[in-house]
Amino acid sequence: MLTALWTVLGIFKIIGLILLGIIGFLLVILFLVLLVPVRYQARISYDGRPEGQAGVSWLCRLLSVKAIYKEKLAVRVRILGIPVFRMEKAFGKEKTEEQDPAGEYGAKEAGSRETGSEGEAKDAGGKEPDGEVTETKEADREEPGGEVPDGGVPDGEVPGEEEGKEPAPTKKVTDRKQKKQPKRKPKKKLKKKAKKKAKKERKNRGFSFRKICDKLKEKLGRIKEALAGVKEKKEKLEAFVKDPANRRTYRLLKRQLWKLCRHVLPVKVSGRVRFGFGDPYKTGQVLTYISPFYGLYAKKLQIIPVFEESLLEGEGKIKGRIRIGTVLFIAVRMLLDKNFRVLLKKILEA
């Protein structure tokens, strides 16, 4: 019994150690994700053509993404230094179809012209159009005799009768013509419609003091409604701003956003710019425009003016890091505020 009990306890001990190991491993990964920052860096240069390089790495390049642009974009993803994904993309139109040589195109065009000229020559060579051929055949079929006047009948013949033919029915033709003609609307309906249109036009053309007053009243009513809506909105905004809970939330939001910006923005910035417009006056004007901001970029950006020639070249580098734990801490700190949750719910429902 004791041996069986010890074996069961040993099994449970092993299972517990395994579970503790798994939980410890997951906690280590969680802390690494939250506390180890994601580092980013970028370098840009311009000397007639733009070139750039950017990279993101995490946990001593355990996971790294790198993008390089030099006439084409190349992206590479590596895990533990092993390439996992690679993509290259060239920007701009590429010629995929070759142009036809001039000789072949000219030969084809000449051949088409020759076939067209041969067809025209055949038409002019003696063959007449179908209409002319039929006219000559009908002329040959006519028997010699006296000329028949237009709309007349030869002597000795009864109109509408021919040898071996019955006279053509006239009533059926007239019936068909009558059927084809569209039915005309009665004149009474047309007169009524014309009268209604005339009345409407008279009403529209009518000029009366009463109509002007009605229009003015309508416009004044609309203006009053608009002013009342603006007044209500103004009162609601004033009540929202004067509420002490909203003021506390605003101050908290301002502090947390400032912390987030300071955390996310680059830590190191350096660069150099050489520019010139070929005209000393324009170059001096640009320098006067940017001189008020000298205190902001003096330590990070070097500006070199060139007064004698027109050029633009430069380079810049930035480095920074983003810690996921810090971003989550700022978000949780805002969500713990009850008033902020209420305002956020109202914004999402709107």
Side-chain angles (χ1 to χ4, degrees), residues 265-329:
L265 288 175
V267 178
K268 293 182 181 179
V269 180
S270 62
R272 181 180 64 86
V273 178
R274 291 182 72 238
F275 74 97
F277 296 97
D279 184 4
Y281 178 71
K282 288 183 179 179
T283 308
Q285 274 188 329
V286 173
L287 286 173
T288 54
Y289 292 150
I290 63 176
S291 59
F293 307 100
Y294 180 76
L296 298 174
Y297 65 80
K299 295 180 180 179
K300 300 174 182 179
L301 186 63
Q302 184 182 6
I303 295 176
I304 304 167
V306 180
F307 295 95
E308 297 176 356
E309 56 181 339
S310 61
L311 61 88
L312 178 62
E313 61 180 26
E315 59 181 5
K317 296 178 183 179
I318 58 170
K319 285 184 180 181
R321 81 280 181 271
I322 300 170
R323 193 176 287 108
I324 297 171
T326 305
V327 177
L328 288 175
F329 177 77

Side-chain angles (χ1 to χ4, degrees), residues 14 21 49 58 70 83 105 121 156 172 178 187 205 211 241 295 309 312:
I14 294 165
R49 287 183 179 180
W58 178 71
K70 191 176 182 180
Y105 182 79
K172 291 182 179 179
Q178 287 177 0
K187 292 182 179 180
R205 288 177 186 173
K211 287 183 179 179
V241 172
E309 56 181 339
L312 178 62

Side-chain angles (χ1 to χ4, degrees), residues 183-208:
K183 293 181 179 180
R184 294 182 180 178
K185 294 180 179 180
K187 292 182 179 180
K188 291 182 179 180
K189 291 183 178 179
L190 293 173
K191 286 181 181 179
K192 286 181 180 179
K193 286 185 178 179
K195 285 180 181 179
K196 287 181 180 179
K197 285 183 180 179
K199 285 181 181 179
K200 286 182 180 178
E201 288 177 358
R202 285 174 190 171
K203 286 181 180 179
N204 293 329
R205 288 177 186 173
F207 179 80
S208 63

Side-chain angles (χ1 to χ4, degrees), residues 46-62:
Y46 182 83
D47 189 5
R49 287 183 179 180
E51 295 180 3
Q53 182 177 346
V56 179
S57 61
W58 178 71
L59 196 63
C60 299
R61 298 187 183 274
L62 177 70

Side-chain angles (χ1 to χ4, degrees), residues 42-45 49-54 67-70 72-73:
R43 182 179 62 82
I44 302 168
S45 63
R49 287 183 179 180
E51 295 180 3
Q53 182 177 346
I68 301 169
Y69 177 76
K70 191 176 182 180
K72 63 179 181 179
L73 180 65

Side-chain angles (χ1 to χ4, degrees), residues 64-266:
S64 64
V65 181
K66 194 174 183 180
I68 301 169
Y69 177 76
K70 191 176 182 180
E71 296 180 356
K72 63 179 181 179
L73 180 65
V75 181
R76 297 172 186 173
V77 181
R78 295 187 178 186
I79 298 173
L80 292 171
I82 301 166
V84 175
F85 176 77
R86 184 174 180 178
M87 183 194 73
E88 291 186 1
K89 185 177 181 181
F91 294 95
K93 295 181 180 180
E94 296 181 356
K95 294 182 179 180
T96 54
E97 295 181 359
E98 294 181 0
Q99 295 180 354
D100 253 351
E104 293 180 8
Y105 182 79
K108 288 179 182 178
E109 191 174 359
S112 62
R113 285 177 184 172
E114 287 176 5
T115 53
S117 60
E118 286 176 7
E120 290 176 2
K122 284 180 182 179
D123 290 339
K127 287 189 178 181
E128 296 178 350
D130 295 334
E132 294 179 3
V133 174
T134 53
E135 287 177 4
T136 53
K137 286 181 181 179
E138 287 177 0
D140 293 338
R141 285 179 185 174
E142 288 179 0
E143 294 179 1
E147 293 182 356
V148 181
D150 294 337
V153 183
D155 296 337
E157 292 184 3
V158 181
E161 291 182 4
E162 294 180 3
E163 292 180 3
K165 290 185 179 180
E166 294 179 2
T170 57
K171 290 183 179 180
K172 291 182 179 179
V173 176
T174 55
D175 292 341
R176 287 175 185 172
K177 287 181 180 178
Q178 287 177 0
K179 286 180 181 178
K180 287 181 182 178
Q181 290 178 358
K183 293 181 179 180
R184 294 182 180 178
K185 294 180 179 180
K187 292 182 179 180
K188 291 182 179 180
K189 291 183 178 179
L190 293 173
K191 286 181 181 179
K192 286 181 180 179
K193 286 185 178 179
K195 285 180 181 179
K196 287 181 180 179
K197 285 183 180 179
K199 285 181 181 179
K200 286 182 180 178
E201 288 177 358
R202 285 174 190 171
K203 286 181 180 179
N204 293 329
R205 288 177 186 173
F207 179 80
S208 63
F209 183 73
R210 188 176 181 182
K211 287 183 179 179
I212 294 169
C213 291
D214 291 337
K215 287 181 180 179
L216 288 172
K217 284 179 182 179
E218 287 179 2
K219 287 183 179 179
L220 288 171
R222 290 175 185 173
I223 291 166
K224 285 180 181 179
E225 288 177 0
L227 290 173
V230 172
K231 191 176 180 181
E232 287 178 2
K233 288 180 181 178
K234 185 182 176 183
E235 290 175 356
K236 286 180 181 179
L237 183 63
E238 286 178 354
F240 178 80
V241 172
K242 289 178 180 179
D243 189 2
N246 291 334
R247 285 186 176 183
R248 286 195 301 272
T249 305
Y250 171 72
R251 288 195 292 269
L252 178 63
L253 181 63
K254 186 179 177 181
R255 287 197 304 271
Q256 299 304 319
L257 285 176
W258 178 244
K259 287 180 182 178
L260 182 65
C261 290
R262 287 182 62 187
H263 180 71
V264 172
L265 288 175

